[in-house]
Structures are given as structure tokens and as C-alpha cells.
Amino acid sequence: MKLSYRAEAWPIAGRFSIARGSKTEAHVLYVEVTDGVYTGRGEAVPYARYGETMDGEMAQLEDARAQIEAGFEPAICPGAACNALDCALWDLRAKQSGVPAYRAAGLRALSPLKTAFTLSLDTPEAMGAQALANARRPLLKLKIGGPDDLARVEAVRVNAPNTRLIVDANEGLTLADLKAIAPELKRLGVVLIEQPLKAGEDETLYGYDCPVPLCADESLHTRAELDHCAGLYACVNIKLDKTGGLTEALALKQAAKDRGLMVMVGCMVATSLSMAPAMIVAQGADFVDLDGPLLLARDRDHGLKITGSILSPPEPALWG
């Protein structure tokens, strides 16, 4: 086999902001693995929050090149490089065998999915305007992280009165903040709060009966953190960039379900190539947040067909 990879930048439609900052481009790691006849592709997003850089992830792939090209599974730390490689290998095997990746994962079919749509962190007025423009979507996810958080949610609710709401703090709250705002979020119809506290400091959630279910994101990467999170959260957000690919994501989903946890399948801002393998994990999930391509100014060729908030299964020309 032969391995190739490159960094790519995809323009975002406007600016995407969360509690940690803003960006106008999605920087993705693109990987190909070929046997000379068939080529498998994968994509991932190195994330600075987890200590990742594009150069560092590419260096991991280069260090493992000899093993990969000899057909061995290299030991790469869970993260972006591991994800892109794992997904490329799933795609390659599907093309070599003629068996779709979803069937190799044990599914009989791959169904369309209804995704959340993310509203970027902004002023209450601007987020209200975003909500008005997307009021027909069935599920909106709001980025929060500041003193005007309640006003933001209220503005969204006024402009999207019939939409289910998820609030994502991206570690931007304290426990006192959470206790103060959670009853109001419940009143406003919020169905889930993602990662309110900093990962590593969320043990203070022990014993707190939040009126809105809490979801672990930054606190959960692989099955290694699941026992810790199961005692604190009602839901876990599985992202392939955190698990290191589709293989671990599927195992993590099953383990979470076995513990009685709800499952969200999420994404970074990226192209349809990142979303396609995540659609396998997202089958039957309680919440789906695979709106990455909807946030871009343009998508990859053969991208997912998206009608409103409905994602259609990927074409083989894209992945799987």
C-alpha cells in the first residue's frame, strides 16, 4: 500500500465562534491509502484544545509510514491522524471487497439522519437573527460562553419557538454559573447542555441533579474515560476525531449504551468526508450533530446530499 496526506483549508460561511475563539477556515488533514487499484480516503481536524497541530499529526503519519505501507496497523495515539487513517482504511476495505462500510460495521442499511444545526457564539441579537433564519430546523445547537448567555438563549427561543434546543458551553461555565442558568434553560425548553465545566474539573458535578441532562464532550475521548463520565453525565458526545476513528467510535457507542447513557454523535467543522463515517456511528443515536458541511462556504466533490437538516447516506464516490 501507499500512503499520502496533505493539509487542506476550507472556507467557512462567515465566521464560526465558540467560547474559546473564532475562525473563518476549517483546516483538515486529508489522507489517502491506495493498493494501486483502489484508494481509501479519510479526513480529520487537528484540534489545538487537545494539544494537536497539523504538523504534529502529519509527523505521526510519517513516522508510521513504513508500517502502514507494509499493511500493519500502526500504534498512533487517538486523535486526528489516527482518525483520518482509520477511516481511509475502512474506505479502502469497502472498495476492495465491494461490501459497504456500514455492512462491515454490522448494519443492514444506512438511513438518512436529522442533524442539529449550530448557531455560532455572538451577541443575543445576532444569535436571534441566526435562529430566525433557521427556525424551521428541528434541532438547533447554541454556542454560549459569557455573561449574556441567558439573553442569547431567550433570543433564540423567541425567534425559533418550535425548535428543540441544545446548549453547548465548551467548558465555559463554572458550577455556580450552571446552577444559576440551568433552571432557566429548562424553562426555555433546552433539552441538553454540553460540557458546561472544564474537563478535569467536572468531578464537582457529582451529586448535582441538573434539571437539564448534561452531555460530556471534551471530557470524553475514548472508552478510557467512560467510567468517569458515566457518573457525571447523562449523555456522551462521540466524535471520530476524539476516538481516533470509526473503529473505536463504534466500540465506545456500544459501551455507552451498555451503561444506559444517551449518545450524541458530533463533529468538527469539516467537509462531508468527515461526516460520512460518522453517519455509521450516528445510526440510532439520541442526538446527531453532523452539520459541518452546512457551516462551510463550499463542500468537497460528491459531498453528502443535505435537504434542510436531513443528511442522505454517502455515495461510494465520497466514502464507504
Side-chain angles (χ1 to χ4, degrees):
M1 292 196 298
K2 294 296 182 183
L3 167 72
S4 61
Y5 53 83
R6 63 177 181 262
E8 295 180 344
W10 293 81
I12 291 172
R15 179 180 296 273
F16 184 76
S17 300
I18 65 172
R20 281 189 291 272
S22 302
K23 59 183 180 180
T24 57
E25 289 184 322
H27 294 270
V28 307
L29 172 61
Y30 175 85
V31 169
E32 286 188 355
V33 181
T34 182
D35 64 4
V37 177
Y38 300 103
T39 299
R41 308 191 305 162
E43 179 186 292
V45 179
Y47 199 33
R49 169 63 183 83
Y50 304 138
E52 296 175 343
T53 64
M54 186 66 73
D55 287 345
E57 297 305 295
M58 290 195 294
Q60 287 193 66
L61 291 172
E62 191 58 40
D63 289 344
R65 177 185 292 278
Q67 290 177 286
I68 295 166
E69 295 188 345
F72 296 106
E73 298 275 348
I76 299 179
C77 294
C82 188
N83 175 29
L85 176 61
D86 185 66
C87 291
L89 290 172
W90 273 83
D91 187 32
L92 177 62
R93 291 171 190 138
K95 289 177 169 58
Q96 289 171 329
S97 66
V99 177
Y102 68 82
R103 290 198 176 179
L107 299 175
R108 292 183 178 180
L110 199 60
S111 300
L113 295 171
K114 190 179 297 183
T115 182
F117 182 79
T118 303
L119 304 184
S120 182
L121 179 63
D122 210 322
T123 65
E125 295 77 14
M127 292 188 74
Q130 291 182 60
L132 183 61
N134 292 280
R136 290 190 175 184
R137 295 187 185 276
L139 181 62
L140 293 177
K141 176 172 165 175
L142 293 65
K143 296 292 187 178
I144 65 169
D148 294 328
D149 282 343
L150 185 56
R152 291 183 173 98
V153 181
E154 288 176 331
V156 169
R157 175 50 78 205
V158 166
N159 287 285
N162 300 315
T163 300
R164 298 169 75 214
L165 302 180
I166 296 172
V167 163
D168 186 2
N170 286 115
E171 306 178 280
L173 302 180
T174 66
L175 183 59
D177 294 333
L178 177 62
K179 288 182 174 180
I181 198 173
E184 294 302 306
L185 296 181
K186 175 72 172 180
R187 174 181 63 82
L188 292 166
V190 172
V191 298
L192 195 70
I193 301 172
E194 269 192 81
Q195 196 68 41
L197 311 185
K198 291 181 179 178
E201 298 179 8
D202 54 1
E203 64 277 357
T204 58
L205 291 171
Y206 278 117
Y208 171 52
D209 185 16
C210 187
V212 180
L214 300 178
C215 180
D217 184 0
E218 285 86 349
S219 289
L220 179 95
H221 291 242
T222 67
R223 284 171 290 174
E225 298 85 25
L226 189 57
D227 285 341
H228 170 74
C229 289
L232 304 173
Y233 299 93
C235 181
V236 293
N237 188 342
I238 299 173
K239 294 177 181 174
L240 273 63
D241 279 311
K242 295 188 299 176
T243 65
L246 178 57
T247 304
E248 172 64 18
L250 290 168
L252 175 56
K253 178 187 178 183
Q254 185 60 56
K257 287 293 188 181
D258 289 345
R259 286 166 171 77
L261 295 168
M262 293 187 292
V263 168
M264 170 188 279
V265 176
C267 67
M268 305 299 189
V269 182
T271 79
S272 285
L273 184 57
S274 284
M275 308 305 127
M279 287 190 68
I280 294 177
V281 189
Q283 299 294 302
D286 299 279
F287 301 95
V288 177
D289 180 25
L290 298 178
D291 63 344
L294 289 170
L295 304 174
L296 297 178
R298 59 182 178 86
D299 195 7
R300 199 177 293 278
D301 290 345
H302 308 291
L304 295 175
K305 180 182 177 183
I306 306 175
T307 306
S309 294
I310 304 298
L311 308 177
S312 295
E315 299 176 4
L318 175 67
W319 186 89

